[in-house]
Amino acid sequence: MTPKSLTLYELNSVVRQRLKSSLDDAYWIQAELSEVHENYSGHCYVEFVQKDEVGGKMIAKARGSIWASTYKMLKPYFERETGCTFCAGIKVLVEVEVDFHELYGYSLVVRDIDPTYTIGDLAHKRQEILRRLTEEGVIGLNKELSMPRLPLRVAVVSSATAAGYGDFCHQLEHNQYGFRFRTQLFPAIMQGTQVEESIIAALDAIFAQQTRWDVVVIIRGGGATSDLSGFDSYNLATNVAQFPLPIITGIGHERDDTVIDFVAHTRVKTPTAAAELMVAMMAHEALAVNDLSGRIRQAISNRIRREHIKVENYMSRIPLLSKMLLQRQHHQLELLTERIRMANPELLLQRGYSITRHDGRVVKDASELKPGDKLSTQFAYGQTESVIL
């Protein structure tokens, strides 16, 4: 006797009916997106997975569908709220209805999504990356570098077509002080799944010629905030944290900091703000130089004034010195004149003295004379002749 049997379609129909009658209309589930595909009709097909928390082994999997009418509202809402692209690799909390189709089998139809769950998960991942960098002792390395006082040579990591890059260059080139910066673009993809790999490659290129640059600027600017997930990467963060030049980030997202914002030397909100920061640093140094120059000029002026006063004092004292010197010389001349006058023989004769000469020479010793010598004696008034007997 042939046993009673069902066709496959009939069995699947039974399964479908039983599932529909025994299950609630919808369930909120937590899962990770392992695949996300949009088709030409606007529908989105995903694969939900769950992994073991300890070993990471996959323990559950299910296909999911988001019909076009739902997806066109759900995706922008999710990305606006989370700042994350709706893509593979993120964890989501979604409201689904269980569906079983005779041909396509078991699947989940997504009706709604709670972005706060994903925000929490992303924050958790971000904190885990920061914790790991802290444990490895690298999280603050770039912040510890000294920012050059004159950051004139700037290596820029950005997309060549990004509006933020144009704003950055315009701000530097047209600064009010006329400072001349030298910049070079190291192109990188700043959104999507290639952000990490692309920026690391740009940093490697800068590292190969690091002596040519004073500072590195990573700027994005513009674009959807949903593309920021690429900047919350451990590999990118550890490259930024350990880079030998100070890195300034201007990712263009004011609401939250990305992981590389935490590890970079300085974080600003926009590319324009990054340019303004460097102009401000240059202006600060220029002000310091001007202040020092002014103090040097003042010091020189004060020194010249003091020396001028000294010279005037010396000049005012020269006439007095000359007079005193002439007086001393005149006094010495008078003394010398008096001594000469006192030594005049005529003065001695007038005092009663006389001078005796023999053969024209003054006689000083009588024993030198002999009888018969003729002498001539001079008095103050007149003279006499005598002979030695």
Side-chain angles (χ1 to χ4, degrees):
M1 182 178 179
T2 304
K4 184 178 179 180
S5 63
L6 299 173
T7 64
L8 176 60
Y9 179 81
E10 291 172 334
L11 177 61
N12 285 351
S13 294
V14 171
V15 172
R16 180 179 185 180
Q17 292 171 6
R18 293 290 177 88
L19 287 174
K20 186 175 182 178
S21 62
S22 62
L23 297 176
D24 294 339
D25 289 342
Y27 296 88
W28 283 96
I29 66 166
Q30 304 169 15
E32 179 181 330
L33 298 178
S34 64
E35 293 182 12
V36 177
H37 300 290
E38 300 177 21
N39 72 358
Y40 65 94
S41 61
H43 302 313
C44 180
Y45 299 99
V46 302
E47 184 174 75
F48 296 110
V49 299
Q50 181 180 348
K51 299 177 182 177
D52 179 67
E53 294 183 0
V54 178
K57 181 180 178 181
M58 189 181 300
I59 58 176
K61 180 169 67 174
R63 290 184 298 107
S65 303
I66 312 175
W67 305 130
S69 58
T70 301
Y71 187 61
K72 68 180 181 180
M73 294 183 294
L74 181 147
K75 180 184 179 182
Y77 164 67
F78 174 83
E79 293 185 344
R80 182 177 64 253
E81 293 298 313
T82 63
C84 175
T85 305
F86 189 80
C87 61
I90 62 172
K91 290 184 178 180
V92 293
L93 176 62
V94 290
E95 184 184 36
V96 298
E97 59 178 279
V98 180
D99 184 41
F100 188 88
H101 191 274
E102 289 84 356
L103 178 60
Y104 301 112
Y106 167 72
S107 67
L108 303 174
V109 179
V110 177
R111 294 167 47 171
D112 199 358
I113 192 168
D114 184 355
T116 59
Y117 175 84
T118 304
I119 292 173
D121 181 67
L122 292 174
H124 175 71
K125 287 182 178 179
R126 184 179 297 131
Q127 291 303 316
E128 281 298 304
I129 293 174
L130 295 176
R131 180 191 59 78
R132 182 177 175 185
L133 294 172
T134 300
E135 290 179 350
E136 294 172 354
V138 301
I139 192 168
L141 293 182
N142 199 257
K143 295 181 182 297
E144 294 173 1
L145 297 176
S146 297
M147 181 67 74
R149 300 179 67 176
L150 301 174
L152 291 170
R153 304 176 302 167
V154 186
V156 184
V157 179
S158 182
S159 169
T161 58
Y165 173 62
D167 294 341
F168 174 82
C169 293
H170 182 272
Q171 190 72 20
L172 285 187
E173 293 172 4
H174 298 87
N175 68 85
Q176 60 180 316
Y177 305 100
F179 299 138
R180 300 292 297 274
F181 293 87
R182 180 168 70 88
T183 64
Q184 180 176 329
L185 175 66
F186 291 81
I189 298 172
M190 304 304 285
Q191 62 182 36
T193 59
Q194 300 181 51
V195 168
E196 173 190 301
E197 177 185 356
S198 181
I199 295 180
I200 290 176
L203 291 176
D204 288 342
I206 298 171
F207 178 78
Q209 46 180 273
Q210 59 177 299
T211 57
R212 296 181 56 196
W213 308 108
D214 300 317
V215 66
V216 177
V217 176
I218 301 177
I219 51 177
R220 178 176 172 269
T225 58
S226 60
D227 299 319
L228 292 175
S229 57
F231 298 94
D232 289 329
S233 153
Y234 168 78
N235 289 333
L236 178 56
T238 192
N239 271 270
V240 170
Q242 299 181 79
F243 203 75
L245 295 175
I247 292 180
I248 299 173
T249 57
I251 307 300
H253 186 50
E254 299 186 8
R255 187 178 64 180
D256 296 310
D257 289 330
T258 66
V259 171
I260 69 167
D261 287 325
F262 278 104
V263 299
H265 185 284
T266 304
R267 185 259 185 182
V268 295
K269 293 181 179 181
T270 63
T272 299
E276 290 173 346
L277 173 63
M278 286 186 290
V279 171
M281 287 191 289
M282 289 292 298
H284 175 75
E285 292 303 318
L287 181 62
V289 170
N290 288 337
D291 179 66
L292 179 60
S293 176
R295 286 190 290 164
I296 291 175
R297 288 195 299 269
Q298 186 62 44
I300 292 175
S301 177
N302 293 340
R303 180 64 181 271
I304 291 175
R305 186 168 55 254
R306 290 195 302 268
E307 295 302 321
H308 182 69
I309 292 173
K310 288 183 180 179
V311 170
E312 288 183 339
N313 289 336
Y314 288 144
M315 292 180 66
S316 65
R317 294 168 56 187
I318 288 175
L320 178 61
L321 292 173
S322 300
K323 183 177 180 180
M324 293 175 62
L325 179 61
L326 290 174
Q327 288 177 341
R328 286 198 300 270
Q329 294 297 326
H330 181 68
H331 179 65
Q332 291 179 356
L333 182 60
E334 289 180 335
L335 293 176
L336 181 60
T337 302
E338 180 63 19
R339 290 175 59 186
I340 293 174
R341 189 184 67 81
M342 293 298 294
N344 189 348
E346 293 183 355
L347 184 60
L348 294 175
L349 293 176
Q350 290 177 359
R351 291 179 180 177
Y353 294 95
S354 62
I355 302 174
T356 301
R357 296 182 175 84
H358 175 252
D359 293 336
R361 292 185 305 168
V362 175
V363 178
K364 297 180 180 180
D365 187 358
S367 63
E368 295 178 356
L369 299 175
K370 61 182 183 296
D373 289 338
K374 293 181 179 179
L375 303 177
S376 174
T377 301
Q378 182 178 354
F379 301 95
Y381 304 102
Q383 63 179 22
T384 61
E385 301 292 334
S386 61
V387 178
I388 300 297
L389 297 179

